[in-house]
Amino acid sequence: MNNSAVAATALTFEQKLDQLAEVAIRIGLGLAPGQELLMTAPLDALPLARRITEQAYKAGASLVTTLYSDDEAVLARYHHAPNEAFDKAPKWLYDGMAAAFKSGAARLAIAGANPMLLSKEDPDKVGRSNRAVSAASKPAMELITRHEINWTIVAAATPSWAATMFPNDSADVAINKLWDAIFATSRVGGDDPVSLWKKHDDGLQKRAAYMNEKRYAALQYRGPGTDFRLGLSDGHLWMGGGTTAGNGLYCIPNIPTEEIFTTPHKDRADGTVTASKPLSHMGTLIEDIHVRFEGGRIVEARASRGQEVLQKLIDTDDGARRLGEVALVPHSSPIASSGILFYNTLFDENAASHIALGQAYTSCLIDGDKASAEELAQRGANSSLIHVDWMIGSNKLDIDGITADGTAEPVMRQGEWV
Amino acid sequence: MNNSAVAATALTFEQKLDQLAEVAIRIGLGLAPGQELLMTAPLDALPLARRITEQAYKAGASLVTTLYSDDEAVLARYHHAPNEAFDKAPKWLYDGMAAAFKSGAARLAIAGANPMLLSKEDPDKVGRSNRAVSAASKPAMELITRHEINWTIVAAATPSWAATMFPNDSADVAINKLWDAIFATSRVGGDDPVSLWKKHDDGLQKRAAYMNEKRYAALQYRGPGTDFRLGLSDGHLWMGGGTTAGNGLYCIPNIPTEEIFTTPHKDRADGTVTASKPLSHMGTLIEDIHVRFEGGRIVEARASRGQEVLQKLIDTDDGARRLGEVALVPHSSPIASSGILFYNTLFDENAASHIALGQAYTSCLIDGDKASAEELAQRGANSSLIHVDWMIGSNKLDIDGITADGTAEPVMRQGEWV
């Protein structure tokens, strides 16, 4: 192949950034003309935030408001604030966000935070601060988890994140590698990423429809360190790719996304599960998680690193030690085949089948968004301040679907769809 | 003097920045231990915002939340958003800020915006956008103007602001000049800026006390293009320097501040006034303002540049063409003697005596914070969505105080206190 021909067709970094912004607005959010947009972003994601802002206005947005977070300010608090401070969260700001959603705003989050930011801070302060944020943001988060508005998450490479992923590379090389990985897994860089995404979404929709026809009562997992049976909630609904939000707008909430997922039964998880990847939780890396479930509840939890953070996490409330999501991802997904550990759930959850502790998505239940809290609990939907995904899939994991009459049917073998 | 001795005592830029942050927290805000802080800042003010965050936590702040504004995002809206967009403002965010103040948060604004940002944009869009922001932010602004919480404004040099002020200098030279001017006029760079500020505040308090003893019914201004009589509100109170906010905390709301000010009577302004400096209003420079008042109301307004923006400003509502503040500043103030036009009210209003269109400070009326809206209006306090200062003082302006029986007493001659 002629090199100059490659150069002529390859996109510049700026063009790829613009494509990613366009995918975020047109595919991720499906932003409606006249709609307001509330964006959150790390300060280091400023270049992508500006591209997204421009794409949003070009799509007819009335107003884009971006709330920037600053790692330095977070660390200043841990290093200088009084101990009592860590029970405080900006409830006024989360209530404001909930008000924005209720008045019609869409929600876009740029992921890119430093996964190791709080790894050296006092786990007690980290735990209390997380709990305060979870409690304060619950009304806003419920509008998100119930898909009442169109929302999406997209990623930007940041120096601290890149340094965690590629510790042996120079800063420049590391951030370029991370951008390349984000562009590739987010399906941008080619001729028509918007069409490519529509096709990919179609595939996920078909896979979810197949599982919904099957109506398995439970899934049975077998792999190294894992022998686990997980009941699905009554009237569960497998979802994947896009969804029509309560405000009528079609959005794809994660860019990238490779998973199909549903709501497990909070009282029906039994056996042992070993994580296949480390879990990066609010600045701490939790490694080699191994837990035992009885009647849906974690009764034993171990980790080779970050055990204290894991323990605080599952002690957040009663629902924090029960499951709120189960997701299936083939091991051949672009993220798994990249072989890269991203230290970020948005990517790593799409590299492997996973389960999530905490709050269930009521939209993964038939008529779940109209059901009362009591009815949801009766059908098995979990309730918690937290929602934390962790990876259990690998090319050594087999999954069976268990039908209502107890018959086992192979769903995945060695990490791939049967 | 020995050069090495100078080098040993001169402060580095970082030390001065830290002093400015300390003055902002300890003198400007008087932040209480355990108090929450809500800060707003242009993105270019990040280094100062980080210093202030650190000083706030060292002073015992429980939580500092900074809302950053991005000029590029504002321009993207003007260049790409649909025309209808400009009547929209983030009411959810301003309501959130009001909720923060009501729940005990202090408020710090870092000034440093590009004064010329919107100078080339459609004045109709600028006017509608300003009006939407004024309406949406009224509940939050009222808590500020009524001094119900401790608040302050401090400045950071930004490249765009420096370029406006020093158009003939390189970017590096311009921003250094602006930082030097900010440090000098904000009284930092010496041994003990906190003590220096306490002494300066004392001087302003004494000047205000003198004017309060005099209890003038009106002020009479005479100077080039100005022949103007301004009645003061019934039971007015001259203020200057610090004030004890409704939450009991003593704060100095402007860093720097050189003025003493009170509330004029909204129905008692007559004659012609010529501005002595250009007015930089939300991105447009309004030059050579000349207005005529009758019975408190502007009946004629001219400007050699920006007349359309001026007209839209005074058309905001009925109170926008009446006066809500009158302030006296000696021409020898450090800002005036610097000879620099800052294109920023925080500084320029402290270089010259001025008046403000729009909302009155009820705290400049005896028992004003307890009075009903009807009572305030009866006493002469103006009400409006806007509050815009413009400079009328110079070394050619004479001001007399008019006592209740009509006697004229000299207050200022050629811009200086008599």
Side-chain angles (χ1 to χ4, degrees):
Chain A
M1 190 191 288
N2 185 312
N3 261 332
S4 65
V6 173
T9 54
L11 297 181
T12 64
F13 173 78
E14 294 297 328
Q15 288 171 319
K16 289 183 209 166
L17 202 63
D18 207 44
Q19 280 193 343
L20 183 59
E22 191 186 0
V23 163
I25 291 297
R26 292 185 55 191
I27 291 291
L29 278 187
L31 193 81
Q35 196 176 19
E36 191 175 346
L37 172 58
L38 197 174
M39 176 155 58
T40 53
L43 276 175
D44 285 327
L46 181 62
L48 178 60
R50 284 180 172 168
R51 291 301 177 114
I52 289 175
T53 301
E54 189 179 313
Q55 288 288 346
Y57 284 128
K58 283 179 176 171
S62 59
L63 182 63
V64 180
T65 303
T66 303
L67 305 174
Y68 287 97
S69 56
D70 178 21
D71 285 353
E72 294 290 320
V74 173
L75 289 181
R77 190 178 188 216
Y78 278 90
H79 298 168
H80 301 295
N83 184 46
E84 315 82 73
F86 295 87
D87 297 312
K88 180 111 187 169
K91 182 153 172 52
W92 58 270
L93 185 57
Y94 293 114
D95 285 348
M97 291 170 73
F101 302 155
K102 281 178 186 162
S103 70
R107 166 86 170 96
L108 190 150
I110 301 183
N114 177 0
M116 305 308 286
L117 183 66
L118 302 180
S119 57
K120 290 176 185 161
E121 306 307 326
D122 176 358
D124 174 63
K125 289 180 183 172
V126 175
R128 283 159 56 209
S129 173
N130 288 347
R131 188 154 40 195
V133 166
S134 294
S137 61
K138 196 171 185 191
M141 279 307 295
E142 274 179 357
L143 298 170
I144 299 294
T145 55
R146 293 165 63 129
H147 287 281
E148 296 204 3
I149 59 158
N150 51 330
W151 61 275
T152 199
I153 310 178
V154 64
T158 60
S160 57
W161 183 19
T164 302
M165 286 176 57
F166 306 106
N168 300 322
D169 290 308
S170 71
D172 277 5
V173 170
I175 203 156
N176 285 337
K177 279 186 178 178
L178 178 48
W179 270 124
D180 285 345
I182 290 171
F183 290 144
T185 55
S186 302
R187 291 179 158 78
V188 304
D191 278 346
D192 186 356
V194 169
S195 298
L196 205 60
W197 263 98
K198 285 181 177 163
K199 200 174 144 194
H200 174 52
D201 183 36
D202 224 44
L204 291 170
Q205 300 289 348
K206 280 180 183 139
R207 181 67 63 182
Y210 170 84
M211 289 295 280
N212 282 328
E213 271 169 40
K214 284 292 185 182
R215 304 229 58 74
Y216 292 122
L219 298 178
Q220 175 73 46
Y221 295 76
R222 273 193 199 88
T226 293
D227 184 356
F228 175 57
R229 188 183 180 113
L230 177 59
L232 300 179
S233 61
D234 302 335
H236 66 268
L237 205 58
W238 287 92
M239 296 182 71
T243 184
T244 300
N247 63 5
L249 296 169
Y250 189 84
C251 65
I252 299 187
N254 286 184
I255 304 288
T257 183
E258 306 288 340
E259 60 173 348
I260 68 161
F261 57 100
T262 192
T263 296
H265 197 294
K266 67 184 174 63
D267 303 326
R268 296 180 195 154
D270 291 277
T272 56
V273 185
T274 299
S276 56
K277 286 170 182 276
L279 167 62
S280 172
H281 178 64
M282 303 232 185
T284 304
L285 202 66
I286 310 175
E287 291 187 70
D288 301 316
I289 300 176
H290 181 82
V291 304
R292 188 161 62 82
F293 284 90
E294 271 182 27
R297 205 163 167 278
I298 292 180
V299 291
E300 199 185 320
R302 291 202 315 265
S304 67
R305 183 176 161 190
Q307 165 124 24
E308 197 174 350
V309 175
L310 175 63
Q311 196 60 50
K312 282 200 181 295
L313 179 68
I314 66 177
D315 285 344
T316 306
D317 53 26
D318 183 61
R321 49 177 72 224
R322 295 175 185 274
L323 295 176
E325 183 191 345
V326 53
L328 301 177
V329 179
H331 187 69
S332 60
S333 92
I335 295 166
S337 54
S338 77
I340 301 173
L341 176 65
F342 282 79
Y343 296 84
N344 184 304
T345 301
L346 178 62
F347 291 83
D348 292 328
E349 74 166 358
N350 285 302
S353 291
H354 56 273
I355 48 183
L357 296 170
Q359 181 65 37
Y361 292 117
T362 53
S363 48
C364 287
L365 291 164
I366 294 167
D367 293 332
D369 292 338
K370 299 172 202 154
S372 67
E374 290 70 24
E375 196 186 337
L376 289 171
Q378 211 162 31
R379 289 170 65 183
N382 193 31
S383 171
S384 171
L385 289 175
I386 68 159
H387 180 97
V388 178
D389 296 276
W390 51 288
M391 310 313 130
I392 61 172
S394 72
N395 59 358
K396 297 188 182 71
L397 188 71
D398 292 340
I399 305 176
D400 285 345
I402 312 293
T403 62
D405 64 8
T407 313
E409 296 179 1
V411 171
M412 286 187 139
R413 284 294 175 268
Q414 301 193 325
E416 299 300 333
W417 294 112
V418 172
Chain B
M1 193 193 287
N2 186 313
N3 262 335
S4 65
V6 172
T9 54
L11 298 181
T12 64
F13 173 78
E14 294 298 326
Q15 288 170 318
K16 289 183 209 167
L17 202 63
D18 206 45
Q19 279 192 344
L20 184 59
E22 191 185 0
V23 163
I25 292 297
R26 292 184 55 191
I27 292 291
L29 278 187
L31 193 81
Q35 196 176 19
E36 191 175 346
L37 172 58
L38 197 175
M39 176 154 59
T40 53
L43 277 174
D44 285 327
L46 180 63
L48 179 60
R50 285 179 171 169
R51 291 302 177 114
I52 289 174
T53 301
E54 188 179 314
Q55 287 288 344
Y57 284 127
K58 284 181 175 171
S62 59
L63 182 63
V64 180
T65 303
T66 303
L67 306 175
Y68 287 97
S69 56
D70 178 21
D71 286 352
E72 293 292 319
V74 172
L75 289 181
R77 190 179 187 215
Y78 278 90
H79 299 166
H80 302 294
N83 184 46
E84 316 82 74
F86 295 87
D87 297 311
K88 181 110 187 170
K91 182 155 172 51
W92 57 271
L93 185 57
Y94 293 115
D95 284 349
M97 291 170 72
F101 302 155
K102 281 178 186 162
S103 69
R107 165 87 171 96
L108 190 150
I110 301 183
N114 178 359
M116 304 309 286
L117 183 66
L118 302 180
S119 57
K120 290 175 186 160
E121 306 307 327
D122 177 358
D124 175 63
K125 289 180 183 172
V126 175
R128 282 159 56 211
S129 172
N130 288 347
R131 188 154 41 196
V133 166
S134 294
S137 61
K138 197 172 185 192
M141 279 307 296
E142 274 179 355
L143 297 171
I144 299 294
T145 55
R146 292 164 63 127
H147 287 281
E148 295 203 4
I149 59 157
N150 51 330
W151 61 275
T152 199
I153 310 177
V154 65
T158 60
S160 57
W161 182 18
T164 302
M165 285 175 59
F166 306 107
N168 301 321
D169 290 308
S170 71
D172 277 5
V173 170
I175 203 156
N176 285 337
K177 279 187 177 177
L178 178 49
W179 270 124
D180 286 345
I182 290 171
F183 291 145
T185 55
S186 301
R187 292 181 159 75
V188 303
D191 278 346
D192 186 356
V194 169
S195 298
L196 205 61
W197 264 99
K198 286 182 177 163
K199 200 176 143 193
H200 174 53
D201 183 34
D202 224 44
L204 292 169
Q205 300 289 348
K206 282 181 183 141
R207 180 66 65 182
Y210 170 84
M211 290 295 281
N212 282 328
E213 270 169 42
K214 283 294 186 179
R215 303 229 59 75
Y216 291 122
L219 299 177
Q220 175 73 46
Y221 295 76
R222 273 193 199 87
T226 294
D227 185 356
F228 175 56
R229 189 183 179 115
L230 177 59
L232 299 180
S233 61
D234 302 335
H236 67 268
L237 206 56
W238 287 92
M239 296 182 71
T243 184
T244 300
N247 62 5
L249 296 169
Y250 189 83
C251 66
I252 299 185
N254 286 184
I255 303 288
T257 183
E258 306 288 341
E259 60 173 347
I260 67 162
F261 57 100
T262 192
T263 297
H265 197 293
K266 67 184 174 61
D267 303 326
R268 297 181 195 154
D270 291 278
T272 56
V273 185
T274 298
S276 55
K277 287 170 182 276
L279 167 63
S280 172
H281 177 64
M282 303 234 186
T284 304
L285 202 66
I286 311 175
E287 291 187 69
D288 301 315
I289 299 176
H290 180 82
V291 305
R292 188 160 62 81
F293 286 90
E294 271 182 25
R297 207 164 167 277
I298 292 179
V299 291
E300 198 184 323
R302 293 201 316 265
S304 67
R305 184 175 162 191
Q307 164 124 26
E308 199 175 347
V309 175
L310 175 64
Q311 195 61 50
K312 283 201 180 292
L313 179 68
I314 65 177
D315 286 344
T316 306
D317 52 26
D318 183 60
R321 50 176 72 225
R322 295 176 185 272
L323 296 176
E325 182 191 346
V326 52
L328 302 177
V329 179
H331 187 70
S332 59
S333 93
I335 296 167
S337 54
S338 77
I340 302 172
L341 177 65
F342 282 80
Y343 296 84
N344 184 304
T345 301
L346 178 62
F347 291 83
D348 292 328
E349 74 166 358
N350 285 302
S353 291
H354 56 274
I355 49 184
L357 295 170
Q359 180 66 36
Y361 292 117
T362 53
S363 47
C364 287
L365 290 164
I366 296 167
D367 293 331
D369 292 339
K370 299 171 203 157
S372 68
E374 291 71 23
E375 196 186 339
L376 289 171
Q378 210 163 31
R379 288 170 65 182
N382 193 31
S383 171
S384 171
L385 290 175
I386 68 160
H387 179 98
V388 178
D389 295 276
W390 49 289
M391 310 314 131
I392 61 172
S394 72
N395 60 357
K396 296 187 182 73
L397 187 72
D398 293 339
I399 305 176
D400 286 344
I402 311 293
T403 62
D405 65 6
T407 313
E409 295 179 359
V411 171
M412 286 187 139
R413 284 295 175 266
Q414 299 193 325
E416 299 300 332
W417 293 111
V418 172

